[in-house]
Amino acid sequence: MHAEVIVIGAGIVGAACAHALAQIGRRVLVLDARIGGATGAGMGHLVVMDDNPAELALSSHSTAQWRALAPRMIEDCAYSACGTLWIAANEEEMAEAERKQQRLRTHGIESRLLDGAALARAEPALRKGLAGALEVPGDGILYAPNAARWLLAQAGDSVRVEHAKVDEIEGDGTLRLVDGSRRNAPQIVLANGIEATTLCPELPIRPKKGHLLITDRYPGTVHHQLVELGYVTSAHHSDGDSVAFNVQPRPTGQLLIGSSRQFDTTDPAVEAPMLARMLQRTLEYLPGLADLTAVRSWTGMRAATPDGLPLLGKHPWREKLWLAVGHEGLGVTTAPGSAHLLAALMNGANPEFDAAPYAPRGLLEPA
Ligand SMILES: Cc1cc2nc3c(=O)[nH]c(=O)nc-3n(C[C@H](O)[C@H](O)[C@H](O)COP(=O)(O)OP(=O)(O)OC[C@H]3O[C@@H](n4cnc5c(N)ncnc54)[C@H](O)[C@@H]3O)c2cc1C
């Protein structure tokens, strides 16, 4: 197959890009080094985030696309329309829940305020005395590595996947692989997550480490993805180490527990003090967790940009190169929206929403 586009990386973002490009008629070659990445390490919460209008636009378009894909997904993608409950611990956070509802409303996102009693009925395992919650029923979860494989398979003959590690992007846009061979196409998409800086050192991407832990099977303990509203202030905006209550009910009955964030480390080791802090936070909301058995914990690296938004668009000075990188802690959610936006730009068409906030120009120094 003569490729019109080469995508570097077959994580959820690369897979979504290949899928979207195939949908507009492109023949795509995906190169993946199979060294793993955030897609295999993350939580797979499909969530509308509203820290700023650009994040809200991208995540709301993307969750709508996931909902449209869901009926066709195979079972091992483990999609579940469980919704999110943003938990308000006190009246101050309840006021934040109301403000969040207003912001979501501007994008037509359905949500519902629950008082303390309604929250206790919805999630009896939560500790007593919480002020309430904002329920976002359109959010969901999936198992991202399988969803990535499914997206690639959906594209049929238009997409070919090759096991290959790109060693260098040469000046004319030619890709040199580690075995010394070369690949070329009129357009190249860089979608290799945290490894993006090894091929393009100029990209302003830093690793942000996260811990996760999964329990044994306890079906029916938790029904929604539960996230503390304090997440918005404690974890998302901080530049130091932080933890936040974030629990996901897997379709298997297991509970997937997050979340922690640490900058300036590339050490993948599980750190007992950080894990303990994260679990302590979880216990403050789910006291019964102390009686459950954990089966595994691990870490992953999010690819963080200075403003928290992914870089989507033409590289300002590298020939043929397009960027789909820097998705931080939201790349599973935002993969389909990112891919559609990028495919439109690569096709010279108008994206469904404003591409300017994600434009790489401005963040990168001229060569
Ligand atoms: C702990 C944690 C929790 C998270 N929770 C969520 C969540 O709940 N919801 C959400 O939306 N997001 C979440 N995320 C973020 C999400 O997982 C990432 O944003 C997303 O997976 C990034 O996907 P990607 O395809 O860009 O990169 P990756 O998944 O890292 O994939 C990169 C791919 O590129 C390949 N590659 C690398 N270098 C090369 C090379 N030189 N040549 C060829 N191939 C190469 C790798 O083999 C890999 O397959 C979480 C992340 C972490 C770490």
Side-chain angles (χ1 to χ4, degrees):
M1 180 183 80
H2 171 70
E4 294 164 306
V5 184
I6 296 176
V7 176
I8 306 171
I12 195 74
V13 173
C17 287
H19 180 259
L21 287 160
Q23 279 186 323
I24 59 166
R26 301 295 178 90
R27 288 190 303 277
V28 184
L29 172 63
V30 179
L31 303 176
D32 193 273
R34 294 192 197 155
I35 53 175
T39 299
M43 239 187 168
H45 183 203
L46 308 176
V47 53
V48 175
M49 294 292 291
D50 61 315
D51 292 346
N52 54 64
E55 187 183 61
L56 179 52
L58 185 59
S59 60
S60 60
H61 271 86
S62 296
T63 49
Q65 285 175 41
W66 280 123
R67 282 193 299 274
L69 288 167
R72 286 189 282 130
M73 267 183 209
I74 53 175
E75 203 181 329
D76 75 353
C77 294
Y79 177 85
S80 162
C82 61
T84 305
L85 283 182
W86 290 94
I87 312 293
N90 49 40
E91 288 314 317
E92 201 184 328
E93 289 185 4
M94 207 56 207
E96 177 54 27
E98 286 170 27
R99 286 192 291 274
K100 188 175 182 68
Q101 183 175 47
Q102 293 301 327
R103 291 192 296 272
L104 296 186
R105 201 171 273 157
T106 62
H107 271 250
I109 307 292
E110 187 193 336
S111 66
R112 186 167 74 101
L113 286 166
L114 275 59
D115 63 14
L119 175 60
R121 282 194 299 277
E123 296 287 356
L126 284 169
R127 81 164 151 81
K128 305 283 170 279
L130 292 164
L134 182 69
E135 180 182 8
V136 184
D139 288 353
I141 58 172
L142 51 66
Y143 183 57
N146 288 352
R149 279 189 282 273
W150 178 79
L151 282 170
L152 289 170
Q154 284 297 294
D157 292 344
S158 306
V159 172
R160 189 163 67 82
V161 183
E162 186 181 334
H163 177 195
K165 184 168 186 183
V166 178
D167 206 24
E168 190 187 349
I169 302 173
E170 296 178 340
D172 64 351
T174 300
L175 304 179
R176 187 169 51 75
L177 309 186
V178 284
D179 66 5
S181 66
R182 290 182 163 74
R183 300 287 181 279
N184 209 330
Q187 292 178 312
I188 312 282
V189 176
L190 188 69
N192 64 339
I194 195 65
E195 294 294 322
T197 52
T198 60
L199 296 176
C200 289
E202 69 277 12
L203 295 177
I205 290 177
R206 288 165 77 193
K208 210 178 195 182
K209 180 174 175 178
H211 285 72
L212 290 174
L213 177 141
I214 194 157
T215 69
D216 210 340
R217 295 172 187 232
Y218 301 98
T221 310
V222 166
H223 307 278
H224 304 78
Q225 176 109 14
L226 305 176
V227 192
E228 65 168 288
L229 261 168
Y231 180 90
V232 176
T233 45
S234 69
H236 221 60
H237 296 299
S238 150
D239 219 29
D241 296 356
S242 61
V243 296
F245 170 62
N246 189 345
V247 169
Q248 177 178 110
R250 302 295 308 154
T252 53
Q254 294 171 284
L255 298 183
L256 179 55
I257 299 169
S259 63
S260 72
R261 290 173 188 243
Q262 292 164 271
F263 271 118
D264 300 325
T265 170
T266 49
D267 179 2
V270 170
E271 296 168 53
M274 185 50 76
L275 196 61
R277 237 178 103 184
M278 192 178 90
L279 292 176
Q280 190 53 46
R281 189 69 182 160
T282 313
L283 280 169
E284 288 167 23
Y285 286 82
L286 279 180
L289 186 88
D291 301 326
L292 309 189
T293 303
V295 293
R296 192 165 80 89
S297 61
W298 66 93
T299 68
M301 300 289 169
R302 309 169 179 97
T305 60
D307 64 2
L309 294 173
L311 298 172
L312 303 170
K314 177 82 183 71
H315 191 292
W317 44 267
R318 283 188 189 257
E319 221 175 296
K320 301 179 185 173
L321 191 67
W322 295 78
L323 300 174
V325 292
H327 286 77
E328 223 245 78
L330 204 56
V332 178
T333 302
T334 56
S338 300
H340 276 90
L341 183 130
L342 193 72
L345 294 174
M346 290 172 72
N347 206 27
N350 280 332
E352 280 178 47
F353 52 98
D354 184 13
Y358 326 98
R361 191 176 300 281
L363 270 177
L364 300 178
E365 298 293 323

